[in-house]
Amino acid sequence: MGNKRIGLYPGTFDPITNGHLDIIKRSLQLVDRLVIGVATNPSKNPMFTLDERVAMVVSEVQEIAVVTKTQIDVVAFDELLMFFAKRVGANFIIRGLRAVADFEYEFQMTGMNYQIDPDIETVFLMADPKYQAIASRLVKEVAIYDGKISAFVPTAVDKAVREKVTLMNRKKS
Ligand code: ADP
């Protein structure tokens, strides 16, 4: 039992989408334990606080963990990804690939990460085509302009985004 495969799926999750959830479900076929790392990422100017993002991920993965009988831990982090990976004992990092646009960035990041820690492998997964176009950034944009986002995010997240947008609008006026 000593050689548990521990995967780390890092991201900003601002907010968690159906695309993220699809990648999470797929990754569970590869790991014995999944750590979802929620990055502080202040430079990305998140819509949700770190605590809010963590809470949304926790509540969305609870049922998946039960159904798949896999341990899923949601952990916030604010350090170099490879240091965090080492600290949680991850054997590999899981990233989702959407379009060509993701590739360039992921290619550079993975190359640098291999130099920082050659023992930790990075694995890329693709979401089901119906979720591939979903991006947190676009979900927020659509919601800000009053568009429907229910096809892209879970119900509770949809509600949280709409509440956040209302709050932002109230502050503006
Ligand atoms: P980051 O700031 O690290 O890009 P995100 O929360 O935007 O954080 O994404 C986390 C990971 O999930 C990234 O690897 C991203 O490519 C992947 N991802 C996000 N949305 C999708 C999707 N619709 N399909 C596949 N992968 C996705």
Side-chain angles (χ1 to χ4, degrees):
M1 274 307 280
N3 283 338
K4 268 197 166 181
R5 287 164 307 166
I6 303 173
L8 168 62
Y9 180 39
T12 313
F13 302 103
D14 185 44
I16 186 164
T17 68
N18 291 340
H20 291 128
L21 284 165
D22 189 70
I23 296 292
I24 289 168
K25 285 178 195 153
R26 283 167 199 282
S27 72
L28 294 181
Q29 300 184 16
L30 310 171
V31 303
D32 301 305
R33 176 180 164 222
L34 181 68
V35 178
I36 302 176
V38 182
T40 6
N41 257 347
S43 64
K44 275 199 164 181
N45 239 331
M47 173 183 262
F48 292 94
T49 66
L50 182 63
D51 288 350
E52 286 169 335
R53 284 180 277 140
V54 168
M56 281 188 278
V57 177
V58 166
S59 92
E60 294 306 329
V61 301
Q62 240 156 24
E63 198 183 315
I64 302 172
V66 173
V67 171
T68 59
K69 298 191 178 72
T70 313
Q71 185 184 344
I72 305 179
D73 297 309
V74 185
V75 186
F77 75 102
D78 187 14
E79 65 187 303
L80 198 59
L81 175 63
M82 298 315 270
F83 294 169
F84 177 57
K86 195 106 210 167
R87 203 156 57 76
V88 296
N91 315 94
F92 55 94
I93 293 182
I94 292 155
R95 295 288 288 173
L97 262 193
R98 279 164 296 196
V100 196
D102 277 345
F103 181 80
E104 184 74 30
Y105 173 70
E106 298 290 341
F107 176 78
Q108 284 193 332
M109 200 169 72
T110 305
M112 292 212 4
N113 285 342
Y114 280 170
Q115 294 200 31
I116 296 168
D117 194 331
D119 296 333
I120 300 178
E121 205 59 56
T122 300
V123 174
F124 293 95
L125 297 176
M126 273 189 249
D128 185 290
K130 64 175 179 281
Y131 301 124
Q132 270 175 24
I134 304 173
S136 300
R137 184 178 57 83
L138 296 176
V139 165
K140 286 177 282 187
E141 227 166 88
V142 171
I144 285 167
Y145 290 106
D146 239 2
K148 234 172 109 117
I149 56 167
S150 55
F152 313 129
V153 294
T155 314
V157 174
D158 181 339
K159 188 163 167 267
V161 173
R162 279 187 288 119
E163 277 170 11
K164 198 59 118 178
V165 170
T166 309
L167 213 71
M168 282 162 48
N169 288 340
R170 223 179 275 153
K171 266 192 201 147
K172 259 192 248 153
S173 58

